[in-house]
Amino acid sequence: MNPFEKIFNYQLITRLDDSGTSMVTAQERSWLKTMLQQPEAEAAFTPETLEKLRLLLEPASPIDFSGHLVEKAGNVEVQVYHPLLRPLRRLIRDRAAASLSFSAKSGGIYNKQLGLPYKLEYSMVKKEWYLLWYHLRTRRLMSTRLQKIDSAAVHPQPITAERYDQLQAEIRSKLEELKVSATVEVVREYNAELSRILYAFSPFEKEVLYDDEEDVYRLVLSFSRGESEYMLSKIRFLGKRVRIVDNAAMHRRMYESASMALARYGVTADECEGDAAAEA
Amino acid sequence: MAKESFDKEIQFLRMLVLTSGAYSRQQFADRLGISVHTYDKTLKRLKDIVATTQQALPEEQGKQLGDMLRYSYIDAADPMLLFLFRAKSIKETESERLSLLLAAMDAEPLTAGELLDFCCTHMPEELSLPDEKTIRNDLKYLEQVGVIRKAGAVRPYRYAVNNELLQSLTDEELLDLHDFAHVMANTRVPSIQGYLLQDGLKKHIARTMENSEALDAFVYKYHYYSRILDEAHLFSLLHAIQNRRKISFLYFSPKKPASYASKNTNPLFERDTAGQQVTTIPLQIVYDHQYGRWYLLGHQARFGLKKFRIEGMTEIAWEDGDTVDEAPFQEMMSELELRTRYSWLIDTGRTVTVRARFFNPGPGAPNFIKDRVLRQGQWGVITEENENSFIYEIKVNGTIEIKPWIRSFGSSCEVLEPLHLRKEMIQEWKELQRCYEPV
C-alpha cells in the first residue's frame, strides 16, 4: 500500500469533484474491511447494512499486520460506539432541537430538557462519548455523557434556519467565553526534549513563541476552563521540563500538588527548606 | 529500491504544526537543514495543495499556511494534515485525462476505443491528445488501484467505475458508513485510508444532501492529529518487515536540532548532514498513545535490538535481494518479544516491580483515580484495597517510561517500591515545590 498514490493527487480529486464523480480505491476498501472486523462495526450499522457491506467487500483483502504493529500505553477501550450515537448524530444533521432526559454528575435526574445538540465529542482519554448541547431555557452549554442519557427525542417544533444560525452564534461566543489560557515555558536545559514536549501539547490550541536571544520556548495554550485539571495532569506528566509562567490559579495548584505529594511521602516543609539552604 | 519520498514535506509540516509560528523563515529553514529558497518553494507548494483541496475563498488566499493549518478544536472536523497524501505530483495532462476517463466511465461502461474518442473530443485544446497506448496504460493503472473494473467478460472489454460500495447503499446507510470511517480513522491506527474514504464519502453525500456541513458532527478530545505524518512510512516499513528485508535510512535523532538535510545538487554548497546512516532489520512498529508517536524496533548486526523514532527516519530504502532468512528472523522476533514483554513503551532496561499506593478522591465522589489506573495501568494489577486507597503493582523494564504517568497523578499517588524510584519522586516533588513557591 502506497499512501502517496497518484490517484489521491489533489488536482485529480478536485477535477473529479467538479464533475461529480465518486470513487473508492482498493486501499480504502482494504482499510474498511479491516475495521469492519472490529466489534464496533456491530453497533455502527443495522444488521442488514453490515451484511450488505461485508458482501460488497468480499473481494477486498484486509490489511495484514501479522503482529508487527503494536500499540502501547493506550487506554482500555470502553465503548467506541454507543447505541445513542446514530440517533443523536441524525438530530445534529437535521438541526433539530431535542428533548433530553438524563442524570447529572451530582446524581440529579432531569426530564425532557429542551436543547440543541451541536457536537458529539469522544474523549480519547476517558474513552467515552459526550453530547455537547445548548440548553435552550438556561442558555448554558452542556456536556452530557451518552451513558447518562436515558432518552433523546426530536422536539416536534422545528427550528427555523435563522434561529438555528443565531443559536450557533450564541454557542460560539459562549465557547469563547469559557476559554482560558496558560503560558508554559520549556525549562531551557530541557530544550533537547522540545519535540517530546510539543507532541505532548499537540492536542491543544496553542501558539509557540521562541526567544532566540535567550533560546527559550514558550507555549501559549488555550483551552476550556473545564479542562484545567487535565492540563495540570499533563504538566505534572512532564514534570521539571516545563513551568507554568502566567496562570496564577494553575501555578498555585501546582504548588499545592507538590506540597501534598511530599506530605504523602512524609516530607515536611522544614525538611524542604533545609534542602534548599544546603544547596544554597 | 527507494520510492519517491515526501521526507521534506513531512518534516516541514511536522515542524509547522508542532511549533505553530515560533520560528522566522531563516530559523525554520536552518532547523530543517534547507535553504530559505527551498523553504519558500516547499511552502508555496503545500499552500497550493491546501488551497485547492479546501477550496479556500479568495479572501483567504493571502493567509499564511500556518494559519490555514492552525488547530481549532471545535472546527477540527476534517483531518488537517491529510492533504500531505494528496501531494504526489502528476502532470496537468494526466490529471485532466484521468478525471475525464473516470467521469465517462461513471456515466456508462466504455471500451478503450470509446474512451479514446471521448478523451480526444473533451480534452482542453491546449493539452496534448492521448494515443491508444496511453489510454490502455491509464486503464491498467486505474484497475490496479481498484477504482475501475471490467464490466463483463466479452472482448473488447468495457470498463466501469468500481463504486458499487456507494451505489448499493441507501442515503442513511451512506451516512452510517461515513460516520464509521470518521470514528474509526480518528480512534484507531492506521488511519490514512480511513480519512481518505471519509473524505470521499463526505463529498459524495454532500452532492445529494442538504445541510451537508452538518455532517461534521464529531470531535475528538486530546487527539494527536499529527500522528498521520509518520503513518506515511508505516506501510513501506510493514512491507519490508513482511518480506524480511533489510532497510537503510538516514536517521536524525529527535534530540538533535536539525531534522532533515537537503541533497544539494551543487557540490560547492554541500554540507555535512547531522544524520546518521543506519542499516537495520525492521521487526516491529510501535505506536505510543501517550505522545501520539511511532517507533521502529529493529535488529542491528553489532548492537542487537535497536529503537528508532519514526519521525527521525528519512530516505528509507532497501535492496530487493537483501533479505533475512526466516529462522534468524524468528529468533530476532523471539528476542524482541522477550525483551519488550514488560516495556511500558519500548524500554528494555532491567525488570523491576513498581508498587504504588493510589488515594481515592474521598467519600461520595466518583473514583476517577481508580478508573484511570484501570484504564491506563496496562498489565499492572490492584493487589490491595481499602476505602481510602489501593495498591497497584506492575513489573516493568526500567522506571523511566512509567514515571511521567505516575507523576501525572500528583498527590494521589505514592510510590512504595523500588526505593530508588520513591527517592526520585520525592526529589522531583521538592524541586517542583520550589519552582512553584508563591512569591
Side-chain angles (χ1 to χ4, degrees), chain A residues 25 164 192 271:
Chain A
T25 62
Y164 179 86
E271 210 175 307

Side-chain angles (χ1 to χ4, degrees), chain B residues 285-346:
Chain B
I285 297 158
V286 178
Y287 178 69
D288 164 14
H289 281 275
Q290 280 186 173
Y291 289 99
R293 299 190 304 195
W294 298 83
Y295 294 89
L296 173 73
L297 304 188
H299 182 94
Q300 235 170 318
R302 273 178 300 132
F303 308 100
L305 193 62
K306 281 283 272 183
K307 302 153 216 171
F308 305 96
R309 284 257 297 277
I310 294 185
E311 64 171 285
M313 295 170 63
T314 62
E315 295 177 34
I316 302 172
W318 56 81
E319 292 300 329
D320 277 341
D322 205 0
T323 56
V324 189
D325 289 338
E326 192 57 23
F329 182 87
Q330 289 305 338
E331 242 169 68
M332 290 167 205
M333 277 307 290
S334 321
E335 191 211 345
L336 177 142
E337 265 148 34
L338 195 71
R339 291 190 56 199
T340 57
R341 194 169 146 206
Y342 297 116
S343 305
W344 184 258
L345 295 172
I346 52 164

Side-chain angles (χ1 to χ4, degrees), chain A residues 1 3-10 12-15 17 21-29 31 35-36 38 40 44-45 49 52 56 64-66 68-76 80-81 86 89-90 93 95 119-122 124-125 172 192 195-196 198-199 202-206 208 210 212 217 227 230 233-234 236-241 243-244 251 254-255 258-262 264-265 272 275 279, chain B residues 6 14 17-20 22-23 27 31 49 52 71 73-75 84-86 88 90 92 94-96 99 103 141 145-147 162-163 166 168 172-173 175-176 179-180 183 186 188-190 193-194 197 203-204 207 209 213 215-222 224-225 235 238 241-242 283-287 289 291 293 309 311 343 345 359 375-376 378 404 407-408 410-411 414-415 430-431 433-436:
Chain A
M1 272 201 197
F4 293 100
E5 268 307 335
K6 68 180 174 192
I7 193 73
F8 302 135
N9 168 278
Y10 68 106
L12 177 56
I13 293 292
T14 311
R15 289 204 156 103
D17 216 19
T21 315
S22 306
M23 63 168 186
V24 184
T25 62
Q27 288 198 33
E28 292 158 78
R29 285 194 292 267
W31 180 87
M35 292 301 161
L36 285 177
Q38 303 287 331
E40 282 78 16
F45 303 99
T49 311
K52 207 158 148 185
L56 284 162
D64 175 22
F65 299 109
S66 349
H68 295 290
L69 175 63
V70 174
E71 294 177 46
K72 280 290 183 83
N75 285 271
V76 174
V80 175
Y81 256 84
R86 294 180 64 235
R89 83 91 60 237
R90 284 166 167 79
R93 175 196 59 182
R95 303 179 162 191
K119 288 279 178 195
L120 282 154
E121 178 182 69
Y122 186 69
M124 302 294 279
V125 173
R172 291 282 158 159
S195 149
R196 174 216 296 269
L198 293 175
Y199 262 93
S202 68
F204 299 96
E205 292 178 20
K206 67 178 187 324
V208 184
Y210 175 59
D212 62 337
Y217 291 87
E227 287 173 74
Y230 180 74
S233 81
K234 203 85 189 175
R236 290 194 301 260
F237 183 93
L238 293 166
K240 301 180 288 183
R241 293 169 183 81
R243 211 169 72 88
I244 304 168
H251 207 275
M254 281 302 287
Y255 180 74
S259 306
M260 281 162 69
L262 285 170
R264 295 281 193 210
Y265 288 100
C272 291
D275 276 3
E279 268 176 43
Chain B
F6 289 84
R14 176 179 296 112
V17 295
L18 287 182
T19 64
S20 11
Y23 298 133
Q27 287 170 342
R31 276 164 180 76
I49 305 177
T52 315
Y71 178 66
Y73 177 62
I74 210 73
D75 297 316
L84 169 72
F85 301 97
R86 305 226 177 267
K88 169 97 184 168
I90 63 176
E92 203 196 337
E94 190 173 6
S95 78
E96 181 70 53
S99 65
Y141 173 73
V145 294
V147 295
N162 186 8
N163 58 7
L166 305 175
S168 318
E172 289 300 292
E173 287 175 327
L175 183 67
D176 284 338
D179 293 352
F180 182 68
V183 171
N186 277 287
R188 295 296 167 95
V189 287
Q193 290 81 9
L197 175 68
K203 286 175 180 155
H204 181 79
R207 288 197 262 276
M209 190 173 122
E213 72 273 31
L215 264 181
D216 302 329
F218 307 106
V219 282
Y220 306 85
K221 209 164 170 169
Y222 316 128
Y224 291 107
Y225 60 92
F235 293 95
L238 262 180
I241 296 173
Q242 281 158 350
L283 301 171
Q284 191 174 65
I285 297 158
V286 178
Y287 178 69
H289 281 275
Y291 289 99
R293 299 190 304 195
R309 284 257 297 277
E311 64 171 285
S343 305
L345 295 172
F359 298 88
R375 225 170 36 238
Q376 302 175 336
Q378 302 208 65
R407 197 170 44 225
S408 73
S411 58
E414 175 194 356
V415 174
K430 280 182 182 175
E431 286 175 44
Q433 190 194 38
R434 226 175 295 152
C435 162
Y436 287 103

